[in-house]
Amino acid sequence: MTMTTHETLEPKVDQLFAEWNRSDSPGAALAVTRDGKVIYKHGYGTANLEYDIPITPTTIFDIASVSKQFAAFAITTLAHDEKLSLDDDIRTYLPDVPDFGNTITILHLLHHTSGLRDWVQSLVIAGVGMEDVISFKHILKMARHQKALNFEPGEAYLYSNTGYNLLAEIVERVTGDSFRVWTDTNIFKPLAMTNSHFHDDHQMILKNRAYSYQSVENGGFKHAVNNTTALGSSSLYSTVEDLAKWILNFDDARIGGQTVIEQMHQRGVLNNG
C-alpha cells in the first residue's frame, strides 16, 4: 500500500475548485494545515473581474460572519483577565440598551440566546437596503431602540448579529480601545496576521482585496456592494495565510492560553437544560 503524498492530493483539491478557476469568474483561496504547518495553499478564479486580477493565497477577503469567533476570543480573554464576567448583565457596560425586564448576560450574546432582534432583518423592514451605507453607530442605534425581545433570554437560540456587535462595543467600553485597535494589539500582531484587520471605515482603500460578486441569470456576475461596518459580527478582512495562523492557535494556544481556547468551545445551555 502506497502512502498518499501531497503531490497526489493537490490535484484532487484543485479539482474541487476547477469550475471557478477562470478569468471570468470570482473564486476562492485555500490553505490546508496539518501537524502545525501549512502544507498547501492556492488561489482560484479572479479577485477583480474588471481588471482580471487573479486570486492568490495573499488575496484579502471580507470573511463576513467567520469574524464572530474573534469577538468571542476578545470577550473570553477579558473574562479570563477578570476585566468582566461572562455572567454579567450587559447593561453594566451598555446602560443605553433598554431594560427589557429580563437580564441579558454576555453569555447570552455569545450563544445567540439573548432574544435580541437581528439588525439585518430589522433594518430591511425599516426600508434600508443592504447596499446602503450601514455604519456601526447605525447598528447600535437600532439596538438601543428595540421595544421588545423575541423571547426571554436563554429560552431559545436565534442567530443574532446584533449580539456580536454589542460584544464588540463591550470590548471598547471595558478596555478604552477601539475594537480594531484591541484586536490588532492582542490577536493579529502577536500571531503575525499582518493582512488582517477589522474594517471600521467602508471608504478605506485596501490593497490586494477581492471584490464581492453575485451571480446573475445569464451565467454572469454583478458587484455585491458592501458598505456595512458591523464590527464583531462581520467586517473582518483577512487572507487564508493569516487564517491558517489563527486555526493553528486553537492547537498551540500561543495567544489566549488553553483556558480561553477551551472556554470558546463550550456549548450553550438553554434555561430548560
Side-chain angles (χ1 to χ4, degrees):
M1 181 178 170
T2 58
M3 281 187 64
T4 305
T5 65
H6 296 172
E7 288 71 27
T8 58
L9 285 174
E10 286 170 12
K12 292 182 179 179
V13 173
D14 293 344
Q15 194 58 40
L16 294 172
F17 295 88
E19 64 181 289
W20 296 289
N21 196 22
R22 313 192 313 263
S23 62
D24 62 348
S25 171
L30 79 84
V32 181
T33 64
R34 179 192 275 171
D35 299 329
K37 293 189 182 72
V38 175
I39 60 170
Y40 187 52
K41 55 187 180 181
H42 203 72
Y44 309 91
T46 304
N48 184 299
L49 294 177
E50 290 165 325
Y51 294 97
D52 297 329
I53 298 168
I55 290 171
T56 75
T58 61
T59 300
I60 296 174
F61 290 84
D62 170 2
I63 69 165
S65 285
V66 179
S67 309
K68 287 184 174 66
Q69 58 192 305
F70 295 87
F73 177 89
I75 285 288
T76 309
T77 298
L78 293 176
H80 181 66
D81 294 343
E82 299 183 348
K83 303 280 176 61
L84 53 79
S85 167
L86 299 183
D87 294 319
D88 285 343
D89 183 340
I90 65 169
R91 297 186 73 249
T92 305
Y93 311 101
L94 306 171
D96 41 354
V97 171
D99 181 355
F100 296 107
N102 301 96
T103 300
I104 300 172
T105 67
I106 292 174
L107 208 55
H108 287 137
L109 299 184
L110 285 165
H111 289 302
H112 301 276
T113 57
S114 68
L116 285 166
R117 292 171 180 167
D118 199 5
W119 64 261
V120 178
Q121 291 82 9
S122 301
L123 291 184
V124 168
I125 291 168
V128 175
M130 291 312 292
E131 69 282 354
D132 294 346
V133 175
I134 302 173
S135 70
F136 193 54
K137 285 182 179 177
H138 197 172
I139 292 168
L140 295 179
K141 182 180 178 184
M142 191 228 78
R144 286 198 301 270
H145 285 85
Q146 286 197 35
K147 302 300 181 194
L149 299 175
N150 280 326
F151 49 80
E152 185 180 321
E155 284 297 306
Y157 168 94
L158 185 65
Y159 192 85
S160 174
N161 290 287
T162 307
Y164 270 74
N165 304 129
L166 294 180
L167 290 174
E169 183 66 6
I170 289 171
V171 171
E172 296 204 4
R173 302 259 177 118
V174 168
T175 66
D177 289 332
S178 72
F179 189 66
R180 176 168 179 169
V181 166
W182 193 94
T183 50
D184 280 347
T185 304
N186 295 280
I187 301 176
F188 305 135
K189 284 179 181 165
L191 290 180
M193 295 173 66
T194 52
N195 288 308
S196 301
H197 75 282
F198 272 95
H199 207 62
D200 53 3
D201 176 5
H202 74 279
Q203 294 178 310
M204 174 187 163
I205 290 170
L206 183 56
K207 291 188 183 295
N208 297 327
R209 75 188 287 179
Y211 280 70
S212 299
Y213 299 94
Q214 57 193 47
S215 55
V216 290
E217 285 179 13
N218 64 4
F221 300 94
K222 65 178 182 179
H223 279 294
V225 178
N226 180 6
N227 292 318
T228 301
T229 306
L231 301 175
S233 69
S234 55
S235 297
L236 179 61
Y237 282 72
S238 189
T239 68
V240 291
E241 290 182 338
D242 277 6
L243 291 174
K245 295 173 183 176
W246 169 251
I247 290 295
L248 293 173
N249 189 68
F250 282 105
D251 294 329
D252 60 26
R254 282 180 53 208
I255 62 166
Q258 209 56 49
T259 309
V260 168
I261 298 302
E262 286 173 12
Q263 178 72 52
M264 286 182 70
H265 287 86
Q266 294 295 314
R267 296 180 67 176
V269 180
L270 297 179
N271 297 341
N272 64 6

